[in-house]
Amino acid sequence: MTTRKNPTAAPPKTKRAATSGSASERRDHLVKLAAEIFARKGFQATTVREIANEAGILSGSLYHHFDSKETIVDEVLSTFLDDLIARYRAALESGGEPRAVLSEMVRIGFGTLEPHRAAITVMQNDWNYLRQFPRFNYLVKAEDDVEQMWVRQIKAGQAAGQFRADVDPKLTYRMIRDTIWVAVRWFRPGGRLNTTGLAEHYITVLFDGLATGERTTQSQA
């Protein structure tokens, strides 16, 4: 006589599945650890041996997960950019008015300072070096895609009469971009402002300005 198995019971975890999960977790740990070293020392100055020593493993064991340190930094940067671009696209597709969407994009940018701090630092310090290599061509494309998103949104705000028509959209975007990314150098979690507060403060300055009274700047002919 045979007994029927409970169809709703979860299948027992196999040794292979457990090993696979452990390997994935180990890989993620190594990526995060390497990212911190890249951010601290710079990508070029970091060796595979240093990453392995920090992880408490032999260099050969690291090569079990990655074929080179370029593969590691590739994963660090692509993960950051994929997340950032997906969030920007979601904001743009929300259908909100230009000012509301642009404000959300500012929040998204500042919101990356903690989860992607190491990746942003690597982007700033090693951008010119990495972009020389074909495997990192996506960095330039991602930069262009992000710029186009912001510029289109600023132009939409100008067309709707919400943003001043006498400012250059591309220059405005680049000033916003630099303000956000440079903040990773001085922002410290646990300080007076978290990233949410930081974003709201910046949005206030961006849209309401610093000076009181009538506008003192004039449109250039």
Side-chain angles (χ1 to χ4, degrees):
M1 179 177 178
T2 59
T3 58
R4 295 184 61 188
K5 295 181 179 179
N6 182 354
T8 62
K13 291 184 177 180
T14 64
K15 184 176 181 180
R16 182 177 179 181
T19 302
S20 176
S22 299
S24 177
E25 291 174 1
R26 183 61 171 167
R27 179 185 172 89
D28 290 344
H29 170 71
L30 290 171
V31 169
K32 291 178 181 177
L33 185 150
E36 292 297 327
I37 301 175
F38 292 151
R40 184 173 69 247
K41 291 194 61 177
F43 174 75
Q44 296 182 73
T46 302
T47 65
V48 170
R49 182 181 294 277
E50 286 175 312
I51 299 172
N53 288 343
E54 191 83 11
I57 61 177
L58 298 175
S59 298
S61 298
L62 188 68
Y63 283 116
H64 177 71
H65 298 278
F66 309 97
D67 59 5
S68 66
K69 70 172 184 176
E70 285 77 15
T71 298
I72 305 176
V73 78
D74 195 345
E75 188 160 330
V76 171
L77 298 179
S78 62
T79 298
F80 161 58
L81 291 171
D82 287 348
D83 181 46
L84 180 69
I85 291 174
R87 291 174 183 270
Y88 279 159
R89 284 177 176 157
L92 291 169
E93 293 168 2
S94 67
E97 63 176 11
R99 174 167 172 162
V101 172
L102 202 72
S103 295
E104 182 60 20
M105 293 175 76
V106 169
R107 294 186 185 101
I108 289 168
F110 277 108
T112 64
L113 293 181
E114 288 192 62
H116 295 293
R117 183 192 61 80
I120 296 168
T121 303
V122 173
M123 287 277 287
Q124 291 188 9
N125 294 340
D126 296 291
W127 171 267
N128 288 330
Y129 174 75
L130 293 173
R131 65 182 297 178
Q132 301 176 71
F133 304 101
R135 76 177 296 166
F136 294 105
N137 286 343
Y138 70 87
L139 295 177
V140 178
K141 183 180 185 305
E143 181 186 45
D144 291 342
D145 288 346
V146 168
E147 180 171 293
Q148 289 176 25
M149 292 180 192
W150 280 82
V151 169
R152 283 199 304 267
Q153 194 58 30
I154 293 170
K155 287 182 177 179
Q158 290 177 320
Q162 293 186 345
F163 304 154
R164 290 174 53 171
D166 60 339
V167 297
D168 181 87
K170 182 177 289 190
L171 179 59
T172 301
Y173 156 66
R174 292 184 175 182
M175 293 176 70
I176 294 172
R177 176 199 64 189
D178 292 348
T179 299
I180 295 173
W181 299 142
V182 170
V184 77
R185 298 184 180 277
W186 54 262
F187 173 75
R188 293 293 178 269
R192 184 171 61 87
L193 286 177
N194 57 21
T195 55
T196 299
L198 191 61
E200 296 307 320
H201 182 84
Y202 182 72
I203 289 168
T204 297
V205 175
L206 177 64
F207 289 122
D208 297 335
L210 188 63
T212 60
E214 296 182 3
R215 182 182 301 170
T216 58
T217 56
Q218 300 295 324
S219 299
Q220 294 182 354

